[in-house]
Amino acid sequence: MTVAEKTLIDEINELREKKNAVILAHYYQRGEIQDIADFIGDSLELARRAQETDADIIVFAGVRFMAETAKILNPEKKVLHPNPESGCPMADMATYEGVKKLKEEHPDAAVVAYVNTNADVKTLADVIVTSRNAVKVVKALEEDKIIFVPDQFLGGFIAQQVPEKEFILWKGFCPPHFNLSPDQLLELKEKYPDAKIAVHPECNTKTTEIADFVGSTSQIIEFATTCDAENVIIGTEVGLKHQLEKINPNKNYIFPVNADYCGTVHCCDMKKNTLDKIKEVLENETNEIVLPEEIIEKARKPLDRMLQIV
Ligand code: SF4
């Protein structure tokens, strides 16, 4: 660590203490952000942490919909987003008007929205899900017909496990996960024949089909750090390598990353948050997440419903 980095971290720590702030970071954030975070987690874990904290300020190092979710669960708290440019292309694929129209066309269906949706779309949902709890939540619903937004691949993965229900899938996708082809994984498997393959359900179906394990980010951590294989090929965002190596450094975690900065599986939006930006928002209390009261109230209901079911 350079002297400049150490000074920056000291300044962040001082501000965090003075302002009674917490820093929540998603597993896909840069390693140096994960290292200074109060809590690291996937979408559900962070949503829960946001609800439990007694801090006055939440600095949310993740993409915009995550910071919005923290605000919806904590309307009385100040939620700061280090970089407002850090959005989720998949969340942006589901528009309020489009989902509303689909809902009107299928009044007998339950709208199940992945947490990766913008706040206005959440207001149309009957329940929110994460990749970890989606199957459990969908099974618990009374409706036999499900509109799932926005990820067609996660939706398809859930549909396989809940065959008794009919699914209408929004055609969104996560570009970094979608770009991961089965060939990339099979090439690595040739190099490491004893390796196990673990992938996220946001990957396209051809890729999930060849995996030994399909699960959410935290489920991948559990599997990869505890399975009997020494080499584990991981099909999700490369930021996860940092935590995996911290939790169990005795294994080899292999990520099929392209040379391109925003290639497979590298979410350039997640990487738009930096330590400099965290210091800046803590110092000036800028980039606050502000949502209309009506949106907070309506979006909170499906989030609470999820938290009650899981
Ligand atoms: S990894 Fe995919 S789903 Fe997650 S923030 Fe990036 S684009 Fe969105």
Short mmCIF file of all heavy atoms in Angstrom, two decimals, residues 240-261:
data_model
loop_
_atom_site.label_atom_id
_atom_site.label_comp_id
_atom_site.label_asym_id
_atom_site.label_seq_id
_atom_site.Cartn_x
_atom_site.Cartn_y
_atom_site.Cartn_z
N LEU A 240 -15.28 -11.08 -6.99
CA LEU A 240 -15.48 -12.10 -5.95
C LEU A 240 -14.17 -12.80 -5.56
O LEU A 240 -14.04 -13.32 -4.45
CB LEU A 240 -16.50 -13.14 -6.44
CG LEU A 240 -17.09 -14.04 -5.37
CD1 LEU A 240 -17.87 -13.24 -4.35
CD2 LEU A 240 -18.00 -15.10 -5.99
N LYS A 241 -13.20 -12.79 -6.47
CA LYS A 241 -11.91 -13.45 -6.22
C LYS A 241 -11.28 -12.95 -4.90
O LYS A 241 -10.74 -13.72 -4.13
CB LYS A 241 -10.97 -13.16 -7.41
CG LYS A 241 -9.75 -14.04 -7.50
CD LYS A 241 -9.07 -13.74 -8.83
CE LYS A 241 -7.81 -14.44 -9.14
NZ LYS A 241 -7.47 -15.73 -8.75
N HIS A 242 -11.42 -11.66 -4.67
CA HIS A 242 -10.84 -11.03 -3.49
C HIS A 242 -11.34 -11.70 -2.20
O HIS A 242 -10.55 -12.06 -1.33
CB HIS A 242 -11.20 -9.53 -3.50
CG HIS A 242 -10.44 -8.72 -2.52
ND1 HIS A 242 -9.11 -8.42 -2.68
CD2 HIS A 242 -10.82 -8.14 -1.35
CE1 HIS A 242 -8.70 -7.69 -1.66
NE2 HIS A 242 -9.73 -7.51 -0.84
N GLN A 243 -12.67 -11.88 -2.09
CA GLN A 243 -13.24 -12.50 -0.88
C GLN A 243 -12.90 -13.97 -0.80
O GLN A 243 -12.60 -14.48 0.27
CB GLN A 243 -14.77 -12.35 -0.86
CG GLN A 243 -15.26 -11.02 -0.32
CD GLN A 243 -14.62 -10.63 0.99
OE1 GLN A 243 -14.62 -11.39 1.96
NE2 GLN A 243 -14.03 -9.45 1.03
N LEU A 244 -12.97 -14.65 -1.94
CA LEU A 244 -12.69 -16.09 -1.94
C LEU A 244 -11.27 -16.35 -1.41
O LEU A 244 -11.06 -17.24 -0.58
CB LEU A 244 -12.82 -16.66 -3.36
CG LEU A 244 -14.24 -16.72 -3.93
CD1 LEU A 244 -14.20 -17.07 -5.42
CD2 LEU A 244 -15.08 -17.75 -3.19
N GLU A 245 -10.33 -15.55 -1.87
CA GLU A 245 -8.94 -15.75 -1.45
C GLU A 245 -8.74 -15.40 0.02
O GLU A 245 -7.87 -15.95 0.69
CB GLU A 245 -8.00 -14.96 -2.35
CG GLU A 245 -7.87 -15.66 -3.69
CD GLU A 245 -7.10 -14.91 -4.75
OE1 GLU A 245 -6.79 -13.72 -4.52
OE2 GLU A 245 -6.82 -15.52 -5.81
N LYS A 246 -9.57 -14.49 0.52
CA LYS A 246 -9.47 -14.14 1.94
C LYS A 246 -10.06 -15.26 2.80
O LYS A 246 -9.52 -15.62 3.83
CB LYS A 246 -10.27 -12.87 2.22
CG LYS A 246 -9.47 -11.59 2.06
CD LYS A 246 -10.34 -10.42 2.42
CE LYS A 246 -9.53 -9.29 2.98
NZ LYS A 246 -10.35 -8.14 3.35
N ILE A 247 -11.22 -15.78 2.35
CA ILE A 247 -11.92 -16.79 3.15
C ILE A 247 -11.17 -18.12 3.16
O ILE A 247 -10.99 -18.74 4.19
CB ILE A 247 -13.37 -16.97 2.63
CG1 ILE A 247 -14.16 -15.67 2.85
CG2 ILE A 247 -14.08 -18.13 3.34
CD1 ILE A 247 -15.49 -15.61 2.14
N ASN A 248 -10.74 -18.57 2.00
CA ASN A 248 -9.96 -19.82 1.94
C ASN A 248 -8.83 -19.67 0.94
O ASN A 248 -8.98 -19.97 -0.25
CB ASN A 248 -10.86 -21.01 1.58
CG ASN A 248 -10.10 -22.32 1.67
OD1 ASN A 248 -8.86 -22.32 1.81
ND2 ASN A 248 -10.80 -23.43 1.62
N PRO A 249 -7.67 -19.22 1.43
CA PRO A 249 -6.54 -18.97 0.51
C PRO A 249 -5.87 -20.24 0.00
O PRO A 249 -4.97 -20.16 -0.82
CB PRO A 249 -5.58 -18.12 1.37
CG PRO A 249 -5.97 -18.34 2.79
CD PRO A 249 -7.37 -18.87 2.82
N ASN A 250 -6.31 -21.39 0.51
CA ASN A 250 -5.64 -22.64 0.11
C ASN A 250 -6.14 -23.21 -1.21
O ASN A 250 -5.76 -24.30 -1.61
CB ASN A 250 -5.82 -23.70 1.20
CG ASN A 250 -5.24 -23.23 2.51
OD1 ASN A 250 -4.17 -22.62 2.53
ND2 ASN A 250 -5.97 -23.44 3.59
N LYS A 251 -7.05 -22.51 -1.86
CA LYS A 251 -7.58 -23.02 -3.13
C LYS A 251 -7.24 -22.08 -4.27
O LYS A 251 -6.91 -20.92 -4.06
CB LYS A 251 -9.10 -23.14 -3.02
CG LYS A 251 -9.54 -24.23 -2.09
CD LYS A 251 -11.01 -24.48 -2.32
CE LYS A 251 -11.47 -25.66 -1.53
NZ LYS A 251 -12.63 -26.27 -2.19
N ASN A 252 -7.42 -22.62 -5.48
CA ASN A 252 -7.13 -21.84 -6.67
C ASN A 252 -8.47 -21.48 -7.35
O ASN A 252 -9.19 -22.37 -7.79
CB ASN A 252 -6.25 -22.71 -7.60
CG ASN A 252 -5.84 -21.97 -8.83
OD1 ASN A 252 -5.79 -20.74 -8.85
ND2 ASN A 252 -5.53 -22.72 -9.89
N TYR A 253 -8.80 -20.20 -7.37
CA TYR A 253 -10.07 -19.75 -7.96
C TYR A 253 -9.77 -19.19 -9.34
O TYR A 253 -9.04 -18.20 -9.48
CB TYR A 253 -10.73 -18.69 -7.07
CG TYR A 253 -10.86 -19.17 -5.64
CD1 TYR A 253 -10.00 -18.69 -4.64
CD2 TYR A 253 -11.82 -20.12 -5.29
CE1 TYR A 253 -10.09 -19.15 -3.34
CE2 TYR A 253 -11.91 -20.58 -3.98
CZ TYR A 253 -11.05 -20.10 -3.01
OH TYR A 253 -11.13 -20.56 -1.72
N ILE A 254 -10.35 -19.82 -10.35
CA ILE A 254 -9.99 -19.46 -11.73
C ILE A 254 -11.16 -18.72 -12.37
O ILE A 254 -12.27 -19.26 -12.47
CB ILE A 254 -9.65 -20.74 -12.53
CG1 ILE A 254 -8.58 -21.54 -11.78
CG2 ILE A 254 -9.20 -20.40 -13.95
CD1 ILE A 254 -8.76 -23.02 -11.88
N PHE A 255 -10.91 -17.49 -12.78
CA PHE A 255 -11.95 -16.67 -13.41
C PHE A 255 -11.65 -16.51 -14.90
O PHE A 255 -10.53 -16.12 -15.26
CB PHE A 255 -12.01 -15.27 -12.76
CG PHE A 255 -12.69 -15.27 -11.42
CD1 PHE A 255 -12.08 -15.80 -10.31
CD2 PHE A 255 -13.96 -14.73 -11.29
CE1 PHE A 255 -12.71 -15.82 -9.08
CE2 PHE A 255 -14.61 -14.73 -10.06
CZ PHE A 255 -13.98 -15.28 -8.96
N PRO A 256 -12.64 -16.76 -15.75
CA PRO A 256 -12.39 -16.60 -17.19
C PRO A 256 -12.51 -15.14 -17.62
O PRO A 256 -13.48 -14.75 -18.26
CB PRO A 256 -13.49 -17.46 -17.82
CG PRO A 256 -14.57 -17.51 -16.80
CD PRO A 256 -13.98 -17.23 -15.47
N VAL A 257 -11.52 -14.35 -17.28
CA VAL A 257 -11.60 -12.92 -17.55
C VAL A 257 -10.91 -12.56 -18.87
O VAL A 257 -9.80 -12.99 -19.11
CB VAL A 257 -10.97 -12.12 -16.39
CG1 VAL A 257 -11.07 -10.63 -16.63
CG2 VAL A 257 -11.66 -12.47 -15.09
N ASN A 258 -11.60 -11.77 -19.67
CA ASN A 258 -10.98 -11.27 -20.90
C ASN A 258 -9.98 -10.17 -20.58
O ASN A 258 -10.01 -9.61 -19.50
CB ASN A 258 -12.06 -10.65 -21.80
CG ASN A 258 -12.84 -11.73 -22.52
OD1 ASN A 258 -12.49 -12.90 -22.45
ND2 ASN A 258 -13.89 -11.32 -23.17
N ALA A 259 -9.17 -9.85 -21.54
CA ALA A 259 -8.20 -8.78 -21.33
C ALA A 259 -8.91 -7.42 -21.23
O ALA A 259 -8.44 -6.52 -20.55
CB ALA A 259 -7.20 -8.76 -22.46
N ASP A 260 -10.07 -7.29 -21.89
CA ASP A 260 -10.78 -6.00 -21.89
C ASP A 260 -11.19 -5.63 -20.47
O ASP A 260 -11.58 -6.49 -19.70
CB ASP A 260 -12.11 -6.09 -22.66
CG ASP A 260 -11.90 -6.60 -24.06
OD1 ASP A 260 -10.73 -6.72 -24.44
OD2 ASP A 260 -12.91 -6.86 -24.73
N TYR A 261 -11.18 -4.34 -20.20
CA TYR A 261 -11.57 -3.89 -18.86
C TYR A 261 -12.99 -4.32 -18.53
O TYR A 261 -13.26 -4.86 -17.47
CB TYR A 261 -11.43 -2.36 -18.76
CG TYR A 261 -11.97 -1.82 -17.46
CD1 TYR A 261 -11.43 -2.26 -16.25
CD2 TYR A 261 -13.02 -0.92 -17.43
CE1 TYR A 261 -11.91 -1.80 -15.04
CE2 TYR A 261 -13.50 -0.45 -16.24
CZ TYR A 261 -12.95 -0.90 -15.04
OH TYR A 261 -13.44 -0.44 -13.85
#
